[in-house]
Amino acid sequence: MPGALLSQSLYIGMEVVIAVASVIGNVMVVWAVKINKSLRDTTFCFIVSLAVADIAVGALVIPLAIMISIGLQTHFYSCLLVACTVLVLTQSSILALLAIAIDRYLRVKIPTRYRRVVTQRRAGLAVVICWMVAFIVGLTPMLGWNNLRHLQLNDTNSSNLITCQFENVISMDYMVYFNFFGWVLPPLLLMLVIYAEIFYMIHKQLNNKKLTTSHTDPNKYYDKELNLAKSLALVLFLFASSWLPLHIINCITLFCPDCKKPIVILYIAILLTHGNSAVNPIVYAFRIKKFRTAFRKIWQQYFCCKDTPPLDLQPSDRKDIPNLEHEQATPQQNPILTSDPPQQQQNQRTETLQQPKEHPPLQEQNAV
């Protein structure tokens, strides 16, 4: 009994630390997008959606998970609503990760048409769809797929007061067959395929590097693509290592009811799922230079009370945007890396084309 109490105390302490880290880190992400105009594009729309979901995990899911771990006496549907809230927000985080993976794939697969395909309106619609699906998946137990009938058959007490624990209200059939096999494992496998394809395309571009020696500076572009590939591999690893252990335990609970599950192992699995929300700002934000610049500005201006210049889209910042890097490559040198040029480049080309028409009259006057 003292060992179980110690394990529960350590679990609650770790949950509090993860909750604080999740809220602070993801609030910084949203804050950085708010103050930095160069971060307001379709890619960061998905990152903000993920950050909002992770903020809710830290501010709402983890406190509810702590309440469930304590085992309070509550009404059945009150406990079920708490468990469903956990499912909704964690599912929204998974779908946001999938949306980011698809967005990254499109940036590498169709760089020349990315801005025409992934518009702000379509990105916003994708975010809304992700949240709608998360609500449908997470609230399905409220429609009847729960353990209420099982508890009524095994309990002679007529009252609906129960010990509020996740397994008491959520059916393992739902968690394994519907949630895991339907809405966790498929996104994981899909992301695995997407990341494998991205690595293949980047490897192909690196092999074509020798054929594009006339490019102004190909090393910078390919180095950034390689860093992006490493980030995606890290995301896939963290997602799998965070979510698979808990769902494996759920499978063991369903297919082997008599198998013993140490409470410490269960606590570690739950902490891994919640810890993924705290790690996401590191993976998606701290590896991006513009986010680091925005974080530094937030720290200096709002915490150190120092005046800092506004964050504008400078040429150095443009290089961090893969789509703009594609635009800097000339069509004759590498068609794969071409894209629609910015308005400024179009104006420069127009001026260049107009100059030859103005020089001949000047030469004729000098000749006369």
Side-chain angles (χ1 to χ4, degrees):
M1 190 68 179
L5 183 60
L6 178 61
S7 300
Q8 187 180 42
S9 300
L10 290 175
Y11 165 74
I12 294 176
M14 290 298 297
E15 285 280 41
V16 172
V17 172
I18 293 174
V20 173
S22 298
V23 172
I24 293 177
N26 289 284
V27 166
M28 291 285 286
V29 171
V30 178
W31 198 350
V33 174
K34 182 179 183 300
I35 68 173
N36 194 345
K37 295 181 179 180
S38 64
L39 294 175
R40 300 175 188 174
D41 62 6
T42 54
T43 301
F44 299 104
C45 177
F46 297 113
I47 294 180
V48 169
S49 176
L50 174 61
V52 170
D54 290 336
I55 290 172
V57 169
L60 187 59
V61 169
I62 292 179
L64 293 177
I66 293 174
M67 186 182 72
I68 290 177
S69 67
I70 295 175
L72 300 177
Q73 293 290 324
T74 63
H75 191 273
F76 177 85
Y77 281 103
S78 298
C79 184
L80 181 62
L81 181 60
V82 170
C84 289
T85 304
V86 174
L87 294 173
V88 169
L89 294 176
T90 51
Q91 186 64 44
S92 66
S93 181
I94 295 173
L95 294 177
L97 289 171
L98 178 61
I100 291 175
I102 296 174
D103 178 75
R104 295 295 185 182
Y105 170 79
L106 294 176
R107 290 179 75 90
V108 178
K109 181 67 175 180
I110 52 171
T112 58
R113 295 183 291 118
Y114 172 79
R115 289 191 174 184
R116 293 192 294 270
V117 173
V118 185
T119 61
Q120 289 283 355
R121 183 177 180 179
R122 291 176 179 174
L125 179 62
V127 171
V128 173
I129 292 175
C130 287
W131 279 96
M132 289 178 61
V133 172
F135 272 99
I136 294 173
V137 173
L139 295 179
T140 298
M142 295 292 296
L143 303 178
W145 199 348
N146 52 57
N147 287 337
L148 178 59
R149 181 174 297 180
H150 177 73
L151 291 175
Q152 290 176 343
L153 292 176
N154 297 334
D155 191 4
T156 58
N157 187 4
S158 59
S159 65
N160 289 329
L161 292 178
I162 62 169
T163 301
C164 187
Q165 293 181 345
F166 191 84
E167 294 183 5
N168 288 344
V169 294
I170 298 295
S171 170
M172 282 297 109
D173 290 335
Y174 162 83
M175 286 301 301
V176 174
Y177 294 118
F178 185 75
N179 190 278
F180 179 52
F181 291 155
W183 295 100
V184 174
L185 191 59
L188 176 61
L189 296 177
L190 182 57
M191 280 190 280
L192 177 63
V193 174
I194 291 173
Y195 298 155
E197 179 66 17
I198 290 175
F199 272 110
Y200 171 77
M201 290 186 293
I202 293 176
H203 179 70
K204 185 177 180 180
Q205 291 179 356
L206 290 173
N207 290 337
N208 293 334
K209 180 180 176 181
K210 298 179 180 179
L211 302 177
T212 60
T213 55
S214 59
H215 192 274
T216 56
D217 195 356
N219 292 330
K220 291 184 178 180
Y221 171 77
Y222 289 113
D223 287 341
K224 292 179 183 296
E225 290 293 333
L226 183 60
N227 291 333
L228 175 61
K230 292 179 180 179
S231 299
L232 294 175
L234 180 60
V235 169
L236 177 60
F237 172 76
L238 292 175
F239 177 81
S241 61
S242 298
W243 287 98
L244 285 180
L246 182 59
H247 286 283
I248 291 175
I249 292 177
N250 291 335
C251 292
I252 294 174
T253 302
L254 178 64
F255 300 121
C256 184
D258 298 330
C259 295
K260 294 183 179 180
K261 298 175 297 180
I263 189 64
V264 176
I265 301 299
L266 182 60
Y267 283 156
I268 292 176
I270 296 174
L271 288 173
L272 285 174
T273 60
H274 296 161
N276 184 254
S277 298
V279 172
N280 285 333
I282 300 175
V283 178
Y284 289 101
F286 286 97
R287 293 182 64 91
I288 301 175
K289 181 180 178 181
K290 290 181 291 184
F291 267 115
R292 293 196 300 269
T293 304
F295 291 156
R296 192 179 300 113
K297 175 182 172 61
I298 292 173
W299 176 259
Q300 293 177 353
Q301 182 173 351
Y302 296 97
F303 294 95
C304 298
C305 299
K306 295 181 180 179
D307 293 334
T308 57
L311 295 176
D312 297 326
L313 186 60
Q314 299 175 355
S316 60
D317 296 328
R318 290 177 180 269
K319 295 180 181 180
D320 289 335
I321 305 177
N323 203 31
L324 294 180
E325 283 187 342
H326 294 310
E327 294 172 358
Q328 292 176 353
T330 57
Q332 294 81 2
Q333 292 169 352
N334 194 349
I336 298 178
L337 303 179
T338 58
S339 180
D340 296 336
Q343 186 66 30
Q344 183 178 359
Q345 295 182 2
Q346 291 181 354
N347 295 337
Q348 292 177 354
R349 290 186 177 183
T350 304
E351 294 176 358
T352 304
L353 294 175
Q354 291 177 353
Q355 287 179 357
K357 297 180 181 180
E358 297 175 358
H359 287 303
L362 295 176
Q363 294 177 356
E364 292 176 2
Q365 291 177 2
N366 293 334
V368 174

